[in-house]
Amino acid sequence: MYITDNYDVVVIGAGHAGVEAALAAARLGGRTLLATLSLDNIALMPCNPSVGGPAKGHLVREIDALGGQMGLTADEACIQMRLLNTGKGYAVHALRAQADKPFYHTLMKQVVENQENLDIKQLMIDRLLVENGAVVGVEAETGEVFEAKCVILATGTYLRGRIVYGQVNYESGPNGLRSANKLSSSLLENGVELMRFKTGTPARIDARSLDYSRMEAQYGDEQVRNFSFMSTITERKQIPCWLTYTNEATHDIIRANLDRSPLYSGMIEGTGPRYCPSIEDKVVRFADKKRHQVFIEPEGMYTNEMYIGGMSSSLPEDVQEEMYHSVPGLEHAKIVKNAYAIEYDCINPRQLYPTLEFKKIKGLFSGGQFNGSSGYEEAAAQGLIAGINAAMQVKGKEPLILDRSEAYIGVLIDDLVTKENREPYRMMTSRAEYRLLLRQDNADLRLTEKGYQVGLISEERYQDLKTKERQIAEEMERVDHENIGGTEVVQKFLEAHESTLLKSGTTIGELVRRPELDYEMLAEIDKNRPQYSAGVREQVNINIKYQGYIRRQMKQVEQFKKMENKRIPKDINYDEVGSLRIEAVQKLKKFQPLSIGQASRISGVSPADISVLLVYLESRDRK
């Protein structure tokens, strides 16, 4: 064992969490090491070749607003972009990009390789070095020791990773890469509580063996959109995805072979994701369904590999062959990679503060799938926050904590650290109480200033934001006060759009609020309109159209903030709080909430317990 080097921050793992963590720490001036099992798995997409989607698209735009990398790289690697849920309200609109998987990895590898203050090294980290309750470095399998002020665990599904399908069972990380088998023991020795989770991926098939005439084509949007508020891409070559369905024959094949599925034979012990079940799970749990959607998605521009979305499985190879061939369009499909399940070690995230630092080990942070979450976007969001807060700790500055009213990232982390997570966590719009305020379209307005204060957003980008804010405010003021009369031109316009004719003058704002009209449409009769960007125009339309709902939600946020701002002292002894129920005492001790708001969201802590706790804290303050 010998000391090879000394760093401010060491990041273990170079997946989506590790990359964002390392980039954030390095960009904030910390000398950073990114340790990865293989240089070929940097920002690897081991499952679906896509970025974004419902709620996940919100996370990507928030990452970008804070100064992260995922949005910029996804835009560049995109081979199809769609805005989802356009038939619903703006709160659930979400961008989803089909990504060129190899190109995404190549682009992200190029970014981290050329980042100042960041070293990358292919290493297997075996031990965490801890002294007096604080992390001091890591030890590699080579015996090299890297001293560090902070360490970030971003190990994904690699800790004691085990691939399983049928009777096949071997130690491995995703895509045939090595699993890390010694670090788990080191974490256990240092008091870290581990859990065993499971996830899976479908087979990959040769594009040349598909019958596209039996499937429905799904094309990208004609309007070019980007995740990043900084992207300048205005043209994009897009290729189609395809939709088909399982049928009763497919389901019969699966039912007849359930005893051969490791999921049902007991070979798999880990808990799988409820919201991304295997096809076996779907057939068993939704027995009344006659068919399930199957998405055929290209893995890149220059590969024949096609991803079979919606049909992940751990069934034996011969059953997979029969099952996939029963699906229309896949009758002659050639499998190039079998579907498999993977079990791995992760932590119970209640061991973390909202900063993503371990409560019991100073300087040790954690992000991504290792925290019991699922998905590239959830991982990247956590990695970014862990990287920022590790750098802030090194610099002796206050950490960045986003609450539930500020960002989906805040909802994600709060859910992880305050709720009992017995399965891989997936971000969904329904988890956000204030989703009308937390739209994907206004992520820059919500979070760019925070990114600027931290140090990840440039002065130029910050000034662009201030200009956008000013233009939105000025235009909202104008349309809410500028009158428009019932001229012949105006009446004809209203008649053409099946809108009630004017009996007297009104404001442009009142017309925008009509369900059948919007700000863009009114440009035809709004002669004094300034020339603003599409982003400004979109915000004006949304803010005017939903003004009443937005104001109501902002009042709810004010009440929420009052509870969040009632801090709980770290030295509190819950055993001394009279009238607290035993379960509440146990849960509060376990989770160690930082505020009354956080305590109120812990399962097993009732409103009555919160009232008791408030009375106790007020009494303590008076003393």
Side-chain angles (χ1 to χ4, degrees):
M1 184 174 88
Y2 61 96
I3 297 172
T4 304
D5 213 334
N6 184 289
Y7 289 92
D8 292 317
V9 179
V10 170
V11 180
I12 304 173
H16 303 283
V19 161
E20 293 290 352
L23 287 173
R27 287 168 176 172
L28 291 172
R31 187 161 184 264
T32 305
L33 172 66
L34 178 58
T36 174
L37 290 170
S38 170
L39 294 178
D40 295 327
N41 72 350
I42 293 173
L44 180 73
M45 292 180 171
C47 197
N48 59 314
S50 69
V51 174
K56 293 168 176 281
H58 290 67
L59 290 173
V60 180
R61 298 208 104 193
E62 290 180 352
I63 290 165
D64 181 75
L66 288 168
Q69 187 64 35
M70 177 175 260
L72 281 163
T73 304
D75 289 340
E76 203 170 341
C78 177
I79 55 178
Q80 187 191 105
M81 184 79 81
R82 295 173 66 198
L83 184 63
L84 307 181
N85 296 332
T86 53
K88 300 178 181 178
Y90 286 96
V92 294
H93 286 188
L95 275 179
R96 183 181 188 272
Q98 196 68 27
D100 186 314
K101 183 182 287 190
F103 191 39
Y104 186 92
H105 152 75
T106 300
L107 288 169
M108 200 65 93
K109 185 169 185 276
Q110 187 178 42
V111 170
V112 296
E113 283 178 338
N114 290 285
Q115 176 59 52
E116 188 180 354
N117 296 323
L118 179 57
D119 293 341
I120 310 166
K121 191 162 185 178
Q122 187 164 297
L123 282 172
M124 170 77 80
I125 301 298
D126 281 353
R127 281 184 62 213
L128 189 69
L129 304 178
V130 178
E131 293 179 5
N132 302 318
V135 72
V136 294
V138 297
E139 182 182 346
E141 66 177 349
T142 56
E144 296 171 274
V145 168
F146 299 88
E147 294 181 330
K149 295 169 185 171
C150 289
V151 172
I152 301 173
L153 299 167
T155 55
T157 61
Y158 286 87
L159 284 197
R160 293 200 307 126
R162 185 170 72 109
I163 299 291
V164 183
Y165 61 96
Q167 292 302 306
V168 177
N169 175 3
Y170 59 93
E171 290 182 351
S172 175
N175 275 32
L177 294 166
R178 297 175 70 190
S179 60
N181 293 326
K182 292 185 178 179
L183 186 55
S184 289
S185 298
S186 178
L187 293 171
L188 289 168
E189 288 168 8
N190 285 287
V192 175
E193 178 191 339
L194 296 179
M195 304 188 296
R196 195 80 172 153
F197 274 178
K198 164 255 171 190
T199 188
T201 192
R204 308 304 194 272
I205 49 181
D206 190 327
R208 297 169 299 177
S209 64
L210 297 173
D211 181 357
Y212 299 100
S213 67
R214 303 206 62 195
M215 298 184 283
E216 177 187 335
Q218 292 194 309
Y219 298 100
D221 295 341
E222 288 186 17
Q223 180 182 342
V224 176
R225 295 184 173 91
N226 294 300
F227 279 114
S228 176
F229 295 95
M230 300 294 289
S231 286
T232 56
I233 297 170
T234 56
E235 292 184 13
R236 179 177 285 124
K237 182 181 178 182
Q238 302 195 74
I239 58 178
C241 298
W242 304 87
L243 175 65
T244 183
Y245 296 88
T246 63
N247 50 57
E248 281 296 342
T250 316
H251 301 174
D252 287 342
I253 293 165
I254 293 167
R255 291 189 194 101
N257 290 280
L258 280 175
D259 60 321
R260 300 179 64 195
S261 168
L263 202 61
Y264 291 91
S265 67
M267 188 183 291
I268 291 178
E269 299 172 3
T271 306
R274 183 192 313 181
Y275 300 104
C276 190
S278 66
I279 190 63
E280 301 98 286
D281 254 352
K282 288 181 185 177
V283 169
V284 171
R285 284 162 50 185
F286 308 108
D288 58 317
K289 298 286 185 184
K290 301 299 181 186
R291 65 179 192 172
H292 294 283
Q293 287 182 319
V294 180
F295 299 95
I296 309 299
E297 301 173 335
E299 297 235 316
M301 285 284 199
Y302 306 104
T303 175
N304 286 334
E305 285 186 56
M306 302 288 273
Y307 177 88
I308 312 180
M311 287 192 76
S312 66
S313 176
S314 59
L315 286 162
E317 184 177 3
D318 61 309
V319 181
Q320 289 188 32
E321 192 100 11
E322 186 182 4
M323 172 184 76
Y324 289 130
H325 285 171
S326 70
V327 176
L330 276 63
E331 292 88 349
H332 306 290
K334 291 183 179 179
I335 297 176
V336 296
K337 287 181 185 175
N338 288 318
Y340 63 81
I342 182 168
E343 282 192 311
Y344 56 95
D345 287 345
C346 61
I347 63 163
N348 187 327
R350 66 172 172 76
Q351 299 170 89
L352 305 173
Y353 289 119
T355 59
L356 297 180
E357 183 182 20
F358 277 82
K359 295 171 181 175
K360 293 182 178 178
I361 305 176
K362 184 174 175 57
L364 180 63
F365 292 79
S366 182
Q369 204 150 346
F370 184 61
N371 284 354
S373 64
S374 67
Y376 310 146
E377 303 83 358
E378 290 92 335
Q382 294 171 63
L384 176 63
I385 298 300
I388 288 172
N389 287 331
M392 292 294 101
Q393 187 169 119
V394 169
K395 296 165 89 170
K397 294 186 176 181
E398 285 296 308
L400 174 66
I401 298 176
L402 300 173
D403 69 41
R404 302 181 72 89
S405 69
E406 294 174 316
Y408 269 75
I409 296 176
V411 175
L412 164 66
I413 294 175
D414 187 69
D415 279 351
L416 287 172
V417 302
T418 61
K419 295 182 179 177
E420 297 280 4
N421 294 289
R422 298 185 175 90
E423 63 194 26
Y425 178 95
R426 182 180 181 178
M427 191 73 247
M428 295 181 290
T429 53
S430 59
R431 297 189 191 273
E433 307 93 315
Y434 311 112
R435 57 183 172 273
L436 185 56
L437 302 179
L438 307 183
R439 305 183 309 277
Q440 58 95 28
D441 60 77
N442 69 358
D444 60 334
L445 297 166
R446 291 185 281 114
L447 297 174
T448 302
E449 184 157 353
K450 290 184 180 292
Y452 175 73
Q453 290 168 349
V454 164
L456 287 178
I457 296 295
S458 68
E459 182 66 34
E460 181 184 5
R461 182 173 178 179
Y462 178 63
Q463 291 306 323
D464 286 344
L465 171 80
K466 302 312 287 183
T467 298
K468 183 177 181 179
E469 289 177 337
R470 176 177 52 76
Q471 289 175 345
I472 292 168
E474 287 175 354
E475 183 61 355
M476 286 182 63
E477 177 74 14
R478 183 188 74 84
V479 299
D480 260 342
H481 291 87
E482 184 156 322
N483 285 303
I484 192 163
T487 64
E488 184 179 352
V489 171
V490 170
Q491 302 291 42
K492 281 185 177 180
F493 169 84
L494 295 175
E495 187 176 10
H497 290 88
E498 298 181 350
S499 190
T500 306
L501 302 184
L502 295 179
K503 293 180 180 178
S504 61
T506 188
T507 64
I508 296 169
E510 285 305 317
L511 292 180
V512 172
R513 291 185 183 94
R514 292 187 178 187
E516 67 278 6
L517 302 177
D518 63 31
Y519 179 78
E520 291 290 354
M521 293 162 63
L522 288 164
E524 187 179 328
I525 58 173
D526 183 5
K527 302 305 179 185
N528 296 322
R529 175 171 299 190
Q531 295 297 312
Y532 286 138
S533 69
V536 169
R537 299 197 305 271
E538 181 181 45
Q539 291 308 305
V540 171
N541 182 60
I542 294 170
N543 286 323
I544 290 178
K545 218 164 192 38
Y546 297 96
Q547 198 169 54
Y549 298 104
I550 289 171
R551 283 175 177 166
R552 186 186 309 165
Q553 197 144 95
M554 289 178 76
K555 287 182 179 178
Q556 294 170 351
V557 169
E558 286 176 19
Q559 295 302 312
F560 164 80
K561 291 280 191 183
K562 288 179 182 177
M563 297 290 275
E564 293 302 297
N565 292 333
K566 290 185 184 295
R567 312 300 289 177
I568 298 176
K570 284 189 175 182
D571 63 349
I572 189 171
N573 183 350
Y574 290 107
D575 291 317
E576 293 180 354
V577 184
S579 302
L580 266 185
R581 294 175 309 111
I582 294 174
E583 182 186 8
V585 171
Q586 291 172 343
K587 289 292 180 70
L588 290 166
K589 281 182 177 180
K590 184 184 288 187
F591 284 91
Q592 299 176 43
L594 301 179
S595 69
I596 289 293
Q598 193 182 0
S600 69
R601 293 187 293 277
I602 297 172
S603 175
V605 178
S606 70
D609 296 318
I610 294 299
S611 297
V612 168
L613 193 54
L614 281 168
V615 170
Y616 173 82
L617 291 176
E618 288 170 8
S619 172
R620 174 177 161 141
D621 288 344
R622 285 197 299 272
K623 289 179 182 177

